[in-house]
Amino acid sequence: MSLNLRTYHELAGADRSGLPEQIAAQRRRVTERLAGVGRLIAVMSGKGGVGKSFVTAHLARALARAGRAVGVLDADLNGPTMPRLLGVDHSPLPTPDGAIEPAIGVDGVKCMSMDLLLQDGAPLTFRGPQAESFVWRGALEAAALREFLGDVAWGALDMLLLDLPPGIQRFHELGDLLSTPPPVLTVTIPTPESRDAVRRAMRAASDRSAPLLGVVENMVDGHFTGTAGADLAAEFSVPLLARIPWHPTPDTWDQLAQQLGSSA
Ligand SMILES: Nc1ncnc2c1ncn2[C@@H]1O[C@H](COP(=O)(O)OP(=O)(O)OP(=O)(O)O)[C@@H](O)[C@H]1O
Ligand SMILES: [Mg+2]
């Protein structure tokens, strides 16, 4: 199965004069598709490998155990990990109206990921001249994200978590596709290096007026030392929602789910 990807180039080439209308129509489609979603939360970090996906998956499971209808959109298009984390073992199914049903993972969490569409797990490939491949990569990834948001039939959800890749690019793309930028949950590890990278991401989110829900500090009892979680929470006047140890128990996630519920 493949997504019906349309790149910006195709859009402009086919009908340059109608471009603004087409973009407006796509935004409408995304808005309509997400109409049944109560809360959208982007899980973000300026830094790679800090546990965004791990936190997203376990938080989603805890919310589902507490009786919420939860979905996770794996917005990491080139390094998707969500199906494995959520134990998804089947492909999403097309619906009669041309959309795609998300797959169902453990605890009933709905999941959509590029990994479920790419049979061989290969990254997105880029058409166009090699020298411009970074431009194409950006265009293709933005197009894939747009299709994900416009074509996945989530149905009624209390919460849709968006697991972002490292950096802030995907957050900006989301802000462009949605009518308002999504609320952001940030994940850091305790170190000063992580604090500095996550600070940049939080600034970018706050510059776009995205609500900052709070900070999760992950990997706190290992060899990483520092106070990044408390520092960022104080700097941005947001709660430090959780300090997650290595190999946490389900209780840890249940508490984070509760905290997040009360920070609505
Ligand atoms: N608290 C934890 N206890 C045990 N393992 C963890 C914990 N947090 C993260 N991990 C593991 O660390 C690795 C990196 O985590 P993860 O992939 O979630 O990071 P990420 O921030 O999403 O990375 P990327 O930037 O590549 O998207 C994974 O193997 C994950 O299972
Ligand atoms: Mg990840």
Coordinates of all heavy atoms in Angstrom, one line a residue, residues 2-8 10-11 26 29-30 33 73 77 98-100 112 114 117 139-154 177:
S2 N 0.5 2.3 -0.7 CA 1.3 3.5 -0.7 C 0.4 4.7 -0.5 O -0.8 4.7 -0.8 CB 2.1 3.6 -2.0 OG 1.2 3.9 -3.0
L3 N 0.9 5.7 0.1 CA 0.2 7.0 0.2 C 0.2 7.6 -1.2 O 1.1 7.5 -2.0 CB 0.9 7.9 1.2 CG 0.7 7.6 2.6 CD1 1.5 8.5 3.5 CD2 -0.8 7.8 3.0
N4 N -0.9 8.4 -1.4 CA -0.9 9.2 -2.7 C -0.2 10.5 -2.5 O -0.7 11.5 -2.2 CB -2.4 9.4 -3.0 CG -2.6 10.3 -4.2 OD1 -1.7 10.3 -5.0 ND2 -3.7 11.0 -4.3
L5 N 1.2 10.4 -2.6 CA 2.0 11.6 -2.3 C 2.0 12.5 -3.5 O 2.2 12.2 -4.6 CB 3.4 11.1 -2.1 CG 3.7 10.3 -0.8 CD1 5.1 10.0 -0.7 CD2 3.2 11.1 0.4
R6 N 1.7 13.7 -3.2 CA 1.8 14.8 -4.2 C 2.9 15.8 -3.7 O 2.8 16.2 -2.6 CB 0.5 15.5 -4.4 CG -0.6 14.7 -5.0 CD -1.9 15.5 -5.2 NE -2.5 15.8 -3.9 CZ -3.3 15.0 -3.2 NH1 -3.6 13.8 -3.7 NH2 -3.8 15.4 -2.1
T7 N 3.9 16.0 -4.5 CA 4.9 16.9 -4.1 C 4.5 18.3 -4.5 O 3.6 18.6 -5.3 CB 6.3 16.6 -4.8 OG1 6.1 16.8 -6.2 CG2 6.7 15.2 -4.5
Y8 N 5.2 19.3 -3.8 CA 4.9 20.7 -4.1 C 5.1 21.0 -5.6 O 4.4 21.7 -6.2 CB 5.9 21.5 -3.3 CG 5.7 23.0 -3.4 CD1 4.7 23.6 -2.7 CD2 6.5 23.7 -4.3 CE1 4.5 25.0 -2.8 CE2 6.3 25.1 -4.4 CZ 5.3 25.7 -3.7 OH 5.1 27.1 -3.8
E10 N 4.7 19.0 -8.2 CA 3.5 18.5 -9.0 C 2.3 19.4 -8.8 O 1.6 19.7 -9.7 CB 3.1 17.1 -8.5 CG 4.1 16.0 -9.0 CD 3.9 14.7 -8.3 OE1 3.9 14.7 -7.0 OE2 3.7 13.7 -9.0
L11 N 2.2 19.9 -7.6 CA 1.1 20.8 -7.3 C 1.2 22.1 -8.1 O 0.3 22.5 -8.8 CB 1.2 21.1 -5.8 CG 0.0 21.8 -5.2 CD1 -1.2 20.8 -5.1 CD2 0.3 22.1 -3.7
Q26 N -6.3 21.8 1.1 CA -5.6 20.8 1.9 C -5.7 21.1 3.3 O -5.9 20.2 4.2 CB -4.1 20.7 1.5 CG -3.9 20.0 0.2 CD -2.6 20.3 -0.5 OE1 -1.9 21.2 0.0 NE2 -2.3 19.5 -1.5
R29 N -9.0 20.0 4.5 CA -9.1 18.5 4.5 C -8.5 18.0 5.9 O -9.1 17.2 6.5 CB -8.4 17.9 3.3 CG -8.7 16.5 3.1 CD -8.3 16.1 1.7 NE -6.9 16.3 1.4 CZ -6.0 15.3 1.3 NH1 -6.3 14.1 1.6 NH2 -4.8 15.6 1.0
V30 N -7.4 18.6 6.2 CA -6.7 18.2 7.5 C -7.6 18.6 8.7 O -7.8 17.8 9.6 CB -5.3 18.9 7.6 CG1 -4.8 18.8 9.0 CG2 -4.4 18.4 6.6
R33 N -10.5 16.2 8.9 CA -10.0 14.8 9.3 C -9.8 14.8 10.8 O -10.0 13.8 11.4 CB -8.8 14.5 8.5 CG -8.4 13.1 8.5 CD -9.4 12.1 8.0 NE -9.4 11.9 6.6 CZ -10.3 11.2 6.0 NH1 -11.3 10.6 6.6 NH2 -10.3 11.0 4.7
L73 N 0.6 9.4 15.9 CA 1.1 9.6 14.6 C 2.6 9.7 14.6 O 3.1 10.6 15.3 CB 0.5 10.9 14.0 CG 1.0 11.3 12.6 CD1 0.8 10.2 11.6 CD2 0.4 12.6 12.1
L77 N 9.4 10.5 9.7 CA 9.2 9.8 8.5 C 10.4 9.0 8.0 O 10.2 8.0 7.3 CB 8.8 10.8 7.4 CG 7.6 11.7 7.8 CD1 7.4 12.9 6.9 CD2 6.3 10.8 7.8
G98 N -11.4 6.1 0.5 CA -10.0 6.5 0.1 C -9.1 6.9 1.2 O -8.0 7.3 0.9
A99 N -9.5 6.8 2.4 CA -8.7 7.1 3.5 C -8.0 5.9 4.0 O -8.1 4.8 3.4 CB -9.5 7.8 4.7
I100 N -7.2 6.0 5.1 CA -6.6 4.8 5.7 C -6.9 4.7 7.2 O -6.9 5.7 7.9 CB -5.0 5.0 5.6 CG1 -4.6 5.0 4.1 CG2 -4.3 3.8 6.2 CD1 -3.1 5.3 3.9
M112 N -0.3 5.3 13.4 CA 0.0 5.4 11.9 C 1.5 5.8 11.8 O 1.9 6.7 12.5 CB -0.9 6.5 11.3 CG -0.7 6.6 9.8 SD -1.3 5.0 9.1 CE -0.4 5.1 7.5
M114 N 5.0 5.7 8.9 CA 5.6 5.4 7.6 C 6.1 4.0 7.5 O 6.0 3.4 6.5 CB 6.7 6.4 7.3 CG 7.2 6.5 5.9 SD 5.9 6.8 4.7 CE 6.1 8.5 4.4
L117 N 3.9 1.5 6.0 CA 3.6 1.7 4.5 C 4.8 1.3 3.7 O 4.6 0.9 2.5 CB 3.2 3.1 4.2 CG 2.0 3.7 5.0 CD1 1.9 5.2 4.8 CD2 0.8 3.0 4.5
A139 N 10.6 18.6 0.6 CA 9.3 18.7 -0.1 C 8.5 17.4 0.1 O 7.3 17.3 0.4 CB 9.5 19.0 -1.6
L140 N 9.2 16.3 0.0 CA 8.6 15.0 0.0 C 8.1 14.7 1.5 O 7.0 14.2 1.7 CB 9.6 13.9 -0.4 CG 9.0 12.5 -0.7 CD1 7.9 12.5 -1.7 CD2 10.1 11.6 -1.1
E141 N 8.9 15.0 2.4 CA 8.5 14.8 3.8 C 7.3 15.6 4.2 O 6.4 15.2 4.9 CB 9.7 15.0 4.8 CG 10.7 14.0 4.7 CD 11.8 14.0 5.8 OE1 11.6 14.8 6.7 OE2 12.8 13.3 5.6
A142 N 7.3 16.9 3.8 CA 6.2 17.8 4.1 C 4.9 17.2 3.4 O 3.9 17.2 4.0 CB 6.5 19.2 3.6
A143 N 5.1 16.7 2.2 CA 4.0 16.1 1.4 C 3.4 14.9 2.2 O 2.2 14.7 2.3 CB 4.3 15.8 0.0
A144 N 4.3 14.1 2.7 CA 3.9 12.8 3.4 C 3.2 13.2 4.6 O 2.2 12.6 5.0 CB 5.2 12.0 3.7
L145 N 3.7 14.2 5.3 CA 3.0 14.6 6.6 C 1.6 15.1 6.3 O 0.7 14.8 7.0 CB 3.9 15.7 7.2 CG 3.4 16.2 8.6 CD1 3.6 15.1 9.6 CD2 4.2 17.5 9.0
R146 N 1.5 15.9 5.2 CA 0.2 16.4 4.8 C -0.8 15.3 4.5 O -1.9 15.3 4.9 CB 0.4 17.3 3.6 CG -0.8 18.2 3.2 CD -0.4 19.1 2.1 NE 0.0 18.4 0.9 CZ 1.1 18.8 0.2 NH1 1.8 19.8 0.5 NH2 1.4 18.1 -0.9
E147 N -0.3 14.3 3.8 CA -1.1 13.1 3.5 C -1.5 12.4 4.8 O -2.7 12.0 4.9 CB -0.5 12.2 2.5 CG -0.1 12.8 1.2 CD -1.3 13.4 0.5 OE1 -2.4 12.8 0.5 OE2 -1.1 14.5 -0.1
F148 N -0.6 12.2 5.7 CA -0.9 11.6 6.9 C -2.0 12.3 7.7 O -2.9 11.7 8.2 CB 0.4 11.5 7.8 CG 1.2 10.3 7.7 CD1 0.9 9.3 6.8 CD2 2.4 10.1 8.4 CE1 1.6 8.2 6.7 CE2 3.1 9.0 8.3 CZ 2.8 8.0 7.5
L149 N -1.9 13.6 7.7 CA -2.9 14.4 8.5 C -4.2 14.4 7.7 O -5.2 14.5 8.4 CB -2.3 15.8 8.7 CG -1.2 15.9 9.8 CD1 -0.6 17.2 9.8 CD2 -1.7 15.5 11.2
G150 N -4.1 14.4 6.4 CA -5.4 14.5 5.7 C -6.1 13.2 5.4 O -7.3 13.2 5.1
D151 N -5.3 12.1 5.4 CA -5.9 10.9 4.9 C -6.1 9.8 5.9 O -6.5 8.7 5.6 CB -5.0 10.3 3.8 CG -5.2 11.1 2.5 OD1 -6.2 11.8 2.4 OD2 -4.4 11.0 1.6
V152 N -5.6 10.0 7.2 CA -5.8 8.9 8.2 C -7.1 9.1 8.9 O -7.3 10.2 9.5 CB -4.6 8.8 9.1 CG1 -4.8 7.7 10.2 CG2 -3.3 8.6 8.4
A153 N -8.0 8.1 8.9 CA -9.3 8.2 9.5 C -9.2 7.8 11.0 O -9.4 6.6 11.3 CB -10.3 7.3 8.8
W154 N -8.8 8.7 11.8 CA -8.6 8.4 13.3 C -9.9 8.1 14.0 O -10.0 7.4 15.0 CB -7.9 9.6 14.0 CG -6.5 9.8 13.5 CD1 -6.1 10.8 12.7 CD2 -5.4 9.1 13.8 NE1 -4.8 10.7 12.4 CE2 -4.3 9.7 13.1 CE3 -5.1 8.0 14.6 CZ2 -3.0 9.2 13.2 CZ3 -3.8 7.5 14.7 CH2 -2.8 8.1 14.0
L177 N 0.5 23.4 8.5 CA -0.6 22.5 8.0 C -1.8 22.6 8.9 O -2.9 22.5 8.4 CB -0.1 21.1 8.0 CG 0.8 20.6 6.9 CD1 1.4 19.3 7.2 CD2 0.0 20.6 5.6

